[in-house]
Amino acid sequence: MRHRSTPPATPVDTSREGSDAAGGPDHERNATVPTPSDGNSCDDGAWREILEGRHADPGAVLGPRVVGRNAARGTLVRHVRTFQPMARRAWIVQDEDGARRSVPMRRTHRAGIFEALVESTPATDGRPGYTIRVDCGGRRHEFHDPYAFPPMLTDFDLHLIGEGRHWKSYEKLGAQLHAIDGVQGVNFAVWAPNAESVSVVGDFNGWDGRVHQMHRRIPSGIWELFVPGVKAGDNYKYRVHAHGTFSDRADPYGFGAEVPPRTASRVIDLDAYQWRDGEWMSGRAARNGLDAPMTVYEVHLGSWRRPGDDPTRWLTYADLERELVPYCVEMGFTHVEFLPPTEHPLSASWGYQTIGLFAATSRFGSPHDLMALIDSLHRAGVGVIIDWVPAHFPRDGHGLRRFDGTALYEHEDPRKGEHPDWGTLIFNYGRNEVANYLVSSALFWLDRYHVDGLRVDAVASMLYLDYSRKDGEWTPNCFGGRENLEAIEFLKQFNIQVHAHFPGVLTIAEESTAWPGVSRPTYTGGLGFSLKWNMGWMNDTLRYMRHDPVHRKYHHDELTFSLIYAFHENFVLPLSHDEVVHGKGALLDQMPGDLWQKFANLRLLYAYMWCHPGKKLLFMGGEFGQWREWNFDESLEWHLCQFDSHKGLAKSVADLNHLVRRERALHELDFEGRGFEWIDCHNWQDSVLVFVRRAADPDDFVMVCCNFTPVPRENYRVGVPRAGVYDEIFNSDSIWYGGGNVGNAGGILAIDVPSHGRENSLSLSLPPLAAIVLKPRR
């Protein structure tokens, strides 16, 4: 909790008023509570709540009230009451006929209650018509009365939020910068239906919960207050009173936060950034199309690279804009995917235990700096996907856990509300406001940060009530099944709204089970995702590649099995961060054999992966052959790029990226069976695979030949779809990549020798532990 002595006000230069101002020591000794004659009285219990900062309706006690009219002068008589616990004296300041007039306020309670009766002409522009000036031990401050402004949330806003259909609730809740009739400030609004009272505390009021007590909007459970003078950059929290105690909470809708381990939210002016990516945004739908090339570079912002002079410091968003953007362009990746950029208290969670689903992490700079990074990537032709985590949230005391003293965002029953593997809490997807909060977060990143796709983490844990639970540790749904019906409906609604509001963006599911229709439209019974990670392909392929080549012939089915279901979903083939942590080792170190064979195996794996149906994803460091298992707290081993073997591996990945971009056959029909054809999937004894990839034009195709043993295959005969001359357009054994340069130079003529059920065939040299790609001349 913060404690500041700064009084609640926006400081301005003022002249000292005369000594006749009310509120001196003699008056204070005699003050008790306001008298009923002031037209705005309340009982002692209400006063006690105001003085203790826990009144549920402070506007009923504080602020202005019309108590009469002066017909002769045409003025209104207002009674104004304010609570200024740090002030010794106070005045009402009015601007009339170009002159400023100060009316002393009477101190009616020693704790800092001041009152006055003032006359003024009815305001035509909606302004309060006055400001309050206070003297805090010789320091003068002047400010607008927050209780003189009406609520900004409409009844329709409250209805939509309660219904769970206010898709842009991020424009209403949280800390919204506004100017009301020329008065600049922030409208604070937070959902806490079971709280006894809520105050906003921050830099602007000395973190004093008595100063800005919020209005309860019945029956929505939302608390709201417009605070004049608050500006972008100010830190704040909500002080939530419940069950006789209170806690200071970060704003669930906060757009920014302090750098951890500090935990306050920060007022952010998101509109201050001017985007320059109009060309990218207008063509995004085509670039994200299912028939477009897609190779994704997965990046953890805090460990991609560290400054050479201080390896303990993170690169900033601005540093990443200078270094990461040109690197992605050079390597040919079509998209970059950031591990969760949302605010999270624990760096060791990699961002997956987030507190602020609307706040960009401040570790690397401001929200505007992240916008600039995304803007720069777009202008360089690189799309941006972020990991988004609606599956669970951490237990940190300043976060969502028991936010208003009850299980508000989570389930009360730990069998539904607690995640046994991660020690986190699970969102209550059946509560309208919670589902609205999550969908609104997704739309926020697409809207305000121009993000091109959302990869949804841990979908399997959302779909099943018994996920990672033993018998007796979970409760069935209303039909007696293990499916989480509320989560399923939430995921469908999430996808419907994302695709309706932002056509052309991608939603990607990390889903590891055989749940049907994950990437099929909701109107056909699917969940509605654009793409799904193919965890089965990843597990089978890595298991196969870890085998010593001499044993691979006994595991040939681990390679071929993926093509049985390859077109059941719109798959992404992921070699993600999860495959290089928790003792698994780096990808290069997982490959068998001596040093040369390790690099050859990894180049072969990438070539096979890039030519296999599906979009591609590779975690950072894998492209140049990181030796060490990934550590979130250290830079990648960039010094390895000085060695030819590592440079060659990186060159092969870059060339594969450009190959996929260039050859329609390798991306147009990733999700259709007519885009793939086996030539030979039965040669298990030699561990050789041969297949064809086709474009939408069936005459536009390439042939892929993979040799998973270290034995070169000379004069290896392969059937081909048609006669003609074939050129080798990629060879993972090229000398440029650090290979042995075994291959097929020049054109290779297909002759009319039947093979593999085809009338024509080629005689090839298959390099060891390598893949080659052939294309017929047209």
Coordinates of all heavy atoms in Angstrom, one line a residue, residues 68 85 99 128 145 183 220 223 243 268-269 357 361 367 514 519 592 611 660 666 675 715 744 751 757 765:
G68 N -32.4 26.1 -3.1 CA -33.3 27.3 -3.2 C -33.0 28.1 -4.4 O -32.0 27.8 -5.2
P85 N -9.5 15.7 4.0 CA -8.9 15.4 5.3 C -7.6 16.1 5.5 O -7.1 16.2 6.7 CB -8.8 13.9 5.2 CG -8.9 13.5 3.8 CD -9.8 14.6 3.2
A99 N -14.7 37.8 -13.4 CA -14.0 38.0 -12.2 C -14.1 36.7 -11.3 O -15.1 35.9 -11.4 CB -14.6 39.1 -11.4
P128 N -19.9 22.4 -13.4 CA -20.3 22.6 -12.0 C -20.5 24.0 -11.6 O -21.3 24.4 -10.7 CB -19.2 21.9 -11.2 CG -18.5 21.0 -12.1 CD -18.7 21.7 -13.5
D145 N -14.6 19.8 -8.2 CA -15.3 18.9 -7.3 C -15.7 17.6 -8.0 O -16.6 17.6 -8.9 CB -16.5 19.5 -6.7 CG -17.1 18.7 -5.6 OD1 -16.7 17.5 -5.4 OD2 -18.1 19.2 -4.9
V183 N -13.5 20.3 -18.8 CA -12.8 19.8 -17.6 C -12.1 18.5 -17.9 O -12.8 17.5 -18.1 CB -13.7 19.7 -16.4 CG1 -13.0 19.2 -15.2 CG2 -14.4 21.1 -16.1
S220 N -26.1 -2.9 -11.2 CA -25.0 -3.5 -12.1 C -23.8 -4.0 -11.3 O -23.1 -4.9 -11.7 CB -24.6 -2.5 -13.1 OG -23.9 -1.5 -12.5
W223 N -18.9 0.3 -9.9 CA -18.6 1.5 -9.2 C -17.9 2.5 -10.1 O -17.1 2.2 -10.9 CB -17.7 1.2 -8.0 CG -18.2 0.2 -7.0 CD1 -18.3 -1.1 -7.2 CD2 -18.8 0.5 -5.8 NE1 -18.9 -1.7 -6.2 CE2 -19.2 -0.8 -5.2 CE3 -19.0 1.6 -5.0 CZ2 -19.8 -0.9 -4.0 CZ3 -19.6 1.5 -3.8 CH2 -20.0 0.3 -3.3
H243 N -16.3 -7.3 3.8 CA -16.2 -8.2 5.0 C -15.3 -7.5 6.1 O -14.6 -8.2 6.8 CB -15.6 -9.6 4.7 CG -16.3 -10.2 3.6 ND1 -17.7 -10.5 3.6 CD2 -15.9 -10.7 2.4 CE1 -18.1 -11.1 2.5 NE2 -17.0 -11.2 1.7
I268 N -3.4 5.6 -19.1 CA -2.7 5.6 -20.4 C -3.6 6.2 -21.4 O -4.8 5.9 -21.5 CB -2.4 4.1 -20.8 CG1 -1.4 3.5 -19.8 CG2 -1.7 4.2 -22.2 CD1 -0.1 4.1 -19.7
D269 N -3.1 7.1 -22.2 CA -3.8 7.7 -23.3 C -3.4 6.9 -24.6 O -2.4 7.2 -25.3 CB -3.4 9.2 -23.5 CG -4.2 9.8 -24.7 OD1 -5.1 9.2 -25.2 OD2 -3.8 11.0 -25.0
L357 N -5.1 -8.2 -18.4 CA -5.4 -8.6 -19.7 C -5.6 -7.5 -20.7 O -5.8 -7.7 -21.9 CB -6.7 -9.5 -19.7 CG -6.5 -11.0 -19.4 CD1 -7.8 -11.7 -19.2 CD2 -5.6 -11.7 -20.4
T361 N 2.9 -5.3 -20.9 CA 3.8 -5.3 -19.8 C 4.8 -4.1 -19.9 O 5.3 -3.7 -21.0 CB 4.6 -6.6 -19.8 OG1 5.6 -6.6 -18.7 CG2 5.4 -6.8 -21.1
P367 N 3.1 1.4 -23.4 CA 2.2 0.9 -24.5 C 2.4 1.5 -25.9 O 2.3 0.8 -26.9 CB 0.8 1.2 -23.9 CG 1.0 1.3 -22.5 CD 2.3 1.8 -22.2
A514 N -8.1 -34.7 -29.2 CA -8.8 -35.0 -30.4 C -10.2 -34.4 -30.5 O -11.1 -34.8 -31.2 CB -8.9 -36.5 -30.6
S519 N -11.1 -26.1 -35.5 CA -10.9 -25.0 -36.5 C -12.0 -25.1 -37.6 O -11.8 -24.8 -38.7 CB -9.5 -25.2 -37.1 OG -9.4 -26.5 -37.7
P592 N 20.1 -37.0 -32.7 CA 21.1 -38.0 -32.4 C 22.4 -37.9 -33.3 O 22.4 -37.1 -34.3 CB 20.4 -39.3 -32.7 CG 19.5 -38.9 -33.8 CD 19.0 -37.5 -33.5
C611 N 7.8 -28.6 -45.7 CA 7.2 -29.1 -46.9 C 5.9 -29.9 -46.5 O 5.1 -30.3 -47.4 CB 8.1 -30.0 -47.7 SG 9.5 -29.1 -48.4
V660 N 8.8 -21.4 -49.2 CA 7.4 -21.5 -49.0 C 6.6 -20.3 -49.5 O 5.5 -20.4 -50.0 CB 7.1 -21.7 -47.4 CG1 5.7 -21.5 -47.1 CG2 7.6 -23.0 -47.0
L666 N 3.4 -25.1 -51.9 CA 3.8 -25.3 -50.5 C 2.9 -24.5 -49.5 O 3.2 -24.5 -48.3 CB 5.3 -25.0 -50.2 CG 6.2 -26.0 -50.9 CD1 7.7 -25.6 -50.7 CD2 6.0 -27.4 -50.4
G675 N -4.1 -31.2 -52.1 CA -2.8 -30.5 -52.2 C -1.7 -31.5 -51.8 O -0.5 -31.0 -51.8
N715 N 21.3 -43.4 -57.5 CA 20.4 -44.0 -58.5 C 19.1 -44.5 -57.9 O 18.6 -45.6 -58.2 CB 21.1 -45.2 -59.2 CG 22.4 -44.7 -59.9 OD1 22.4 -43.7 -60.6 ND2 23.5 -45.5 -59.6
N744 N 21.6 -33.3 -56.9 CA 21.3 -33.5 -58.3 C 21.4 -32.2 -59.1 O 20.5 -31.4 -59.1 CB 19.9 -34.0 -58.5 CG 19.7 -35.3 -57.7 OD1 19.9 -36.4 -58.1 ND2 19.3 -35.1 -56.4
I751 N 12.2 -40.4 -67.3 CA 12.1 -41.3 -68.4 C 10.9 -42.2 -68.2 O 10.4 -42.3 -67.1 CB 13.4 -42.1 -68.6 CG1 13.7 -42.9 -67.3 CG2 14.5 -41.1 -68.9 CD1 14.9 -43.8 -67.4
G757 N 3.9 -47.1 -59.3 CA 2.6 -47.0 -60.0 C 2.4 -45.9 -60.9 O 1.3 -45.5 -61.3
S765 N 20.0 -38.9 -56.8 CA 20.9 -39.1 -55.7 C 20.3 -38.5 -54.4 O 20.1 -37.3 -54.4 CB 22.2 -38.4 -56.0 OG 22.9 -39.0 -57.1

